[in-house]
Amino acid sequence: MFNQFGATAETLSKASTLVFRIGTDAHLYDDPDDVSIAPLLDSRFDSEKCEALKRLLALIAQGFEVSSFFPQVVKNVASQSLEVKKLVYLYLLHYAQKRPNEALLSINYFQKDLGDPNPLVRAWALRTMAGIRLHVIAPLVLVAAGKCARDPSVYVRKCAANALPKLHDLRLEDNTVGIEEIIGILLNDSSPCVVGAAAAAFSSVCPNNLSLIGRNYKRLCEVLPDVEEWGKIVLIGILLRYVVARHGLVKESIMFSLHGTENSRSEKDCSDTNSALDDNGDSNGLYESELTNAVSRCYIEGPAEYLSRLSFMNKDSSEFNYARFTSGKNNDDVKILLQCTSPLLWSNNSAVVLAAAGVHWIMAPTEDLKRIIKPLLFVLRSSNASKYVVLCNIQVFAKAIPSLFSRYFEDFFICSSDSYQIKALKLDILAYIATDSSISFILKEFQDYIRDPDRRFAADTVAGIGICAQRLPEMANACLEFLLALTRQQLMTGEFGSVDTEADILIQAIMSIKSIIQLDPPSHEKVIIQLVRSLTSIKVPAARAMVVWMVGEYNSLGDLIPRMLATVLKYLAGCFASEEVETKLQICNTAVKVLLGAKGNDLLTIKMVLIYVLELAKCDLNYDVRDRAHFLKKLLSTYLDSQCLEEETNRPGQHKDSSRLLAENLFGKQNKSISHEPIDHRFYLPGSLSQIVLHAAPGYEPLPKPCSLRCDDPEMDENGDPYVTDDEDSASESLDEEIASSYSSQHSNVDSSGTDGSEEAGSASEDDDNSHQLIQFSDERKNGASQSASDFGELLSNRALESWLDDQPGFSKPNTSEHSQVRTSSARISIGDIGGQVRPKSYPLLDPVNGNGLRVDYSFSSEISSISPLFICIEVSFKNCSKETMSDITLVDEESGKGKDSVEQSSFSDESSTIPQSNEPNLVSVEEITSLDPGQTMTRSIQVRFHHHLLPLKLAIYCNGKRHPIKLRPDIGYFVKALPMDVEVFTNKESQLRGMFECVRRCTFTDHIKELDKDKGDNSLVEDKFLVICRSLALKMLSNANLHLVSVDLPVAAKLDDATGLCLRFSSKILSTSAPCLITITVEGRCSEPLEMSVKVNCEETVFGLNLLNRIVNFSVEPSHPHV
Amino acid sequence: MLQCIFLLSDSGEVMLEKQLTGQRVDRSICTWFWEHTVSQGDSPKLQSVIASPTHYLFQVLREGITFLACTQVEMPPLMGIEFLCRVADVLTDYLGSLNEDLIKDNFVIVYELLDEMIDNGFPLTTEPNILREMIAPPNIANKMLSVVTGNSSNVSDILPGATSSCIPWRTTNLKYANNEVYVDLVEEMDAIINRDGVLVKCEIYGEVQVNSHLSGVPDLTLSFANPAVLDDVRFHPCVRFRPWEAHEILSFVPPDGQFKLMSYRVRKLKSSPIYVKPQLTSDAGTCRVSVLVGIRNDPGKTIDSITVQFQLPSCVLSADLNSNYGTVNILANKTCSWTIGKIPKDKAPALSGTLLLETGLECLHVFPTFQVGFRIMGVALSGLKIDKLDLKNLPKPPYKGFRALTRAGEFEVRS
């Protein structure tokens, strides 16, 4: 056997193993500080970085603090080598919370990695990003997790599920909805691996949101056997909670029949189940009913609540609602749960076996309960590590229903290799499951155990014999015989083995004997006498005290005991001085009891003995004994005063005085009223940590209240009626819809692969989103189809297109089953003449009121600055609204203008037209307007450099020598420039900008309605509604941002009035970085009503993309400006 | 969920710590744990779940290495324990065996493995074949390469295909020149013989171990001639439940290499192959010991590696033990082991001698339990027989091999 605590052979012969350590990282672990780490971290070579990182890891492993290297390590996150990445992540996760500011530096790289084509890199990036747990980046992580939850790679989705609890740990209120939504998506995943991880996330994020489970309940049950083992453990628990909350407990299960046996008024059902159990178990005591009652109550209420309630009121009066039960035979949900968990009892993983057994324990009909026995017992043999935990659980099961395990008593026979805790548990179980048929074998075993070298265990065995005898009164005599023999033997050997443990065995033996006698004192008179006789040889104080107690307690029992009392008391008085404290106290008590019950001749002797004993006790060294003596003397003064006593005996009819009554009550027949102690065992759910440590561990939750989940069906509530299938179906369906609709408003999507056959058209947008997710070939098909269609579309006039659409009535059925068709076939149209209609929106810069009659407006132009990509071209129009001519109007940069107040304005403008300074916002080529006549308007084109795409630029207008401060607000729509490209390039680019680089928002669009209304009045030309929509949409976009319209796709199969599927694509690139920025707008809804549209922006610069998206959504919602 | 994992050496030194969640666990918990275990006596048979003042601890002890996991919240304790066992299995698999030096020498791999195996306190990837593809096990070639080039990466650049497959235990795209599959029945016999020499309990714990080297994705069916003898079974995740429920047939797509397909139990056996008869008589401060060993029921094959071991009671001062066959050793911790090997044809092995009891003790009243070890090649004592092994989805018929072996499990004889 390997000794844990000694030095091993391996550690001693380190030198000899040196040879094998070549090429390993041994030197790094032994001397991590050997080389200076800092320069290595900055090295150009991956191998050197690796070495440095390994050294750091070695230091962490050895418990050193190396967070000072954090900044240097973070830099290496950009490394291309996966090994370096992995090592950096390991380090980062260890210290990120300590160095939050530096950790933030790495976020950009994670964002980039999230878009990596390698799923391993994406998964690692997400894991690490979520793992550094900073509040600041929580929103980013949430978005990332949402993206990854829809990733094509199973592994990445699994990591997304694992990221959610990390996010939840930050306790950010605003994120909870988002997190739960993602969990909902993942629970619905097609891969069982992901479902398992999602279940784990569910249980740590929102274990009580059981309605989330309700939607997928049947499917979750079905995938349960395929979920990986760790997920199974958690998922089983969740499903159990759901079923309890939804349907309540099962009538045929142990949880119910217990209540049945306790309350006689309960239904007939339970008597059925009882007889069922009788058939297969050869037991006499079927349930330890009170105990099992406690078990089931504890499961539901939690032990703390249950026990506190117990202490306040009578437990029978509790309002345990019998209607909160369902019938396991009729309830499909219960049946399917049991069906899916029963093969798991064969699992190789003991945790899975125990979890499955727990479900059966709570849910299965009692006659099926035997299914869990063998697997549980098998776990005991096959896994040493889990033995203890499984035994703890079996102990509870066996105590509640001893008959369950009684046939398998051999499995609990003790091996010498078992640890003490396991031995003790097995003993306890053996004592509880013993039956008349097995008790002889068990006693035989016990006899062997008493001779075991482990004496603590031997003492426990003796206690176990006592329990056996109490449970099986028929066997009490056999047990008693054995115990007496044991005490005799102990007394013989006890003199030598004066070890404490031997004393323990003796004490246990006497205690067991005492408890057996208590069951039926009259028949055990001889045993008491035997014990009293052996008092001379019993040396252990506790054992002596107990025997003395028995003398007092049973002083009036039978014929023999009263006769020997005087002699015994004399003996005890004789050795009083040499006794231990506890024995002394017992001697005092016993003498009083004997006196109270004594009659006839002995009375005087006994009185003398008592007086003698009390005198001795009064001078005792121990104050307890002295106090006891004083107390007894006072109390018994009437007895002890000899005259009084005689008087009393002469006048038996007289009433006794109060102290005497008190004394009789104190020392009288206590044994008659052994109150049944309430069971204060604490029971926790099977398989829980709390059950092992016997207190509620943080986070422990009892089962949910039965039927607490959506118990809106009145019939079920009142009568406990068997559950109606139709009802359930419709209920779950309505739930489905409810959730689905909430989804579409939250822009998330459900994996449409199998489940949403019944989904309404309202959720079709999800399908659309999904089409991006679909595998490549469907994209290609789309391209191919639309390619030809677009050629076609360009050849035909608008009218022809319209008629062509009309000619395909077969396509236009609003049938949900044809959604796939809708998605893939579309026609491309061109709206080339739109350019002329684009009117950039103009914004006021200066009011005539503020500007002394000068009105200045500006609008962003789509021209591109010739000076630098950082400049934005703006058209500024100056209008003189006053009656006088204005002169010297000029626009200057406020910031730089301040410093150059004295400089002449013309020269200033000259200066500013030279090379722009890098740091300052600049204004280029502002030509001075020398004079502006009343009513005259002049336009100037200026080029401006904004600091930031959101912050306004402060400028000033000088007019007639007067300064007007103004603010020029940037429009992010013009921070991009049109980037012409065709659809192929667009889709290509788009596919590269997935993941983090993609953001979607929805909004409504109403512009087209006005157009359509206008057309209605004008009958002469009926324009195609689709074209109107396309035009107004495109116009809206182009007049608010500098974009290139790539394509307009019309859904071919759409109904005439249904614009769903209309798709517009715009491309652009960011001016400053020339990173492409792609915009896709997808429309849904009816033509004549406000349209739902979803805007998607794919852009490498996430923040820019998000802001642009917001801008687009904002201007789309605004009503259009009047056409000029 | 688990918060932290520590690996402790056999002297209580923390070799590794891996923090798993935001709540750091200080390594002082290990000091507490170590003092706690030492205070429980030097027995390695420890409780697997311990409630410390601050944390709940799960521990698994393998080859002197303590795997310690901490949590502060409710979680299924078996999940923690099973996971630690899995970590120990995987590390043993990677490093060849387990000891302090191996772990220290390969600490980077251990870190990388732990990082893959558990994420945020919840197991992530525990399937050995996926792990092997993600993180290369240290082997001689790798070591040499790293010595020569000074550069080695054990982290794979690509995600193993099995992560997305519906049979995650099998590596994708396997190719073997010689397809072969070996099925071993390995049985352990547990028995308790009480003081009266009665066989109280006798049962078999068996495993079906398969070593498969097969190309592609083969589908195997294994059936037994007498499945009725099986009392209870546990399966590798690859075994399909339905065929077993219906016909007691094992249908599965095997992982690659060695694995435990199934374990089973056969209860209530009537006899054991060998007998061990100990006799202890004590008188006047000495105790005479005699132990006889012999064959009771000849299983038809040779019984070898027979050993008898027992712990001398603490009240024994000295022992003088001899045997007529084999060797007797008394170790420092008062364990006496008698190695017999095969039972010779001509004589019955016997151990005899005297024990000197401590002064004042007349006779012995606690008696040791004798642990017996043996091994029988070629026989499955439970009587379980493999009927046939069918293979589908294979280009050409592979080589099939079957073996059986029985050895003693917890075979105890009380005296």
Side-chain angles (χ1 to χ4, degrees), chain A residues 176-221:
Chain A
T176 24
V177 179
I179 295 175
E180 291 186 19
E181 196 180 292
I182 298 173
I183 288 179
I185 295 169
L186 290 169
L187 275 175
N188 214 356
D189 200 278
S190 55
S191 163
C193 289
V194 181
V195 175
F202 176 89
S203 74
S204 64
V205 171
C206 51
N208 296 319
N209 187 4
L210 290 169
S211 56
L212 210 57
I213 300 299
R215 269 190 298 144
N216 301 320
Y217 176 77
K218 288 232 162 62
R219 211 183 69 82
L220 287 175
C221 282

Side-chain angles (χ1 to χ4, degrees), chain B residues 31-88:
Chain B
T31 322
W32 182 91
F33 165 78
W34 201 253
E35 279 163 9
H36 175 79
T37 48
V38 170
S39 73
Q40 297 284 306
D42 58 352
S43 142
K45 303 175 246 171
L46 281 158
Q47 228 171 317
S48 46
V49 182
I50 304 168
S52 88
T54 52
H55 291 81
Y56 303 105
L57 307 177
F58 305 120
Q59 68 137 347
V60 165
L61 180 66
R62 283 281 179 90
E63 314 281 344
I65 308 291
T66 307
F67 294 82
L68 190 70
C70 316
T71 185
Q72 280 178 310
V73 292
E74 169 68 43
M75 66 174 281
L78 278 187
M79 187 154 120
I81 294 167
E82 280 278 328
F83 178 74
L84 290 180
C85 288
R86 199 63 58 89
V87 171

Side-chain angles (χ1 to χ4, degrees), chain A residues 4 8 94 382 416 448, chain B residues 10 24 74 190 195 234 371:
Chain A
Q4 188 178 5
T8 63
H94 197 86
S382 41
S416 54
D448 279 3
Chain B
D10 53 10
R24 309 268 107 179
E74 169 68 43
D190 293 358
R195 299 224 146 103
R234 295 177 82 180
Q371 278 114 23

Side-chain angles (χ1 to χ4, degrees), chain A residues 567-585:
Chain A
T567 334
V568 175
L569 278 186
K570 267 190 236 167
Y571 161 76
L572 289 174
C575 52
F576 185 84
S578 57
E579 297 289 355
E580 288 295 316
V581 175
E582 50 183 330
T583 323
K584 280 176 179 167
L585 292 174

Side-chain angles (χ1 to χ4, degrees), chain A residues 4 8 21 29 61 86 94 118 127 155 229 346 350 381-382 411 416 444 448 689-690 695, chain B residues 10 15 24 27 56 74 82 86 105 115-116 152 157 188 190 195-196 234-235 265 371 412:
Chain A
Q4 188 178 5
T8 63
R21 307 180 70 178
Y29 193 92
K86 183 92 212 173
H94 197 86
N118 185 347
R127 282 179 62 186
Y155 185 73
E229 46 195 333
W346 291 330
S350 55
R381 173 56 178 89
S382 41
D411 280 79
S416 54
K444 196 90 194 148
D448 279 3
L689 178 60
S690 305
H695 61 254
Chain B
D10 53 10
M15 293 189 290
R24 309 268 107 179
R27 49 169 72 200
Y56 303 105
E74 169 68 43
E82 280 278 328
R86 199 63 58 89
D105 294 356
D115 194 56
E116 268 323 308
S152 76
D157 286 350
E188 288 186 4
D190 293 358
R195 299 224 146 103
D196 308 333
R234 295 177 82 180
F235 298 124
R265 198 158 92 135
Q371 278 114 23
E412 296 193 350

Side-chain angles (χ1 to χ4, degrees), chain B residues 128-147:
Chain B
N129 85 71
I130 298 181
L131 286 173
R132 277 184 169 272
E133 280 184 65
M134 281 181 149
I135 295 153
N139 55 32
I140 295 294
N142 272 358
K143 285 182 190 171
M144 284 308 152
L145 195 72
S146 77
V147 170

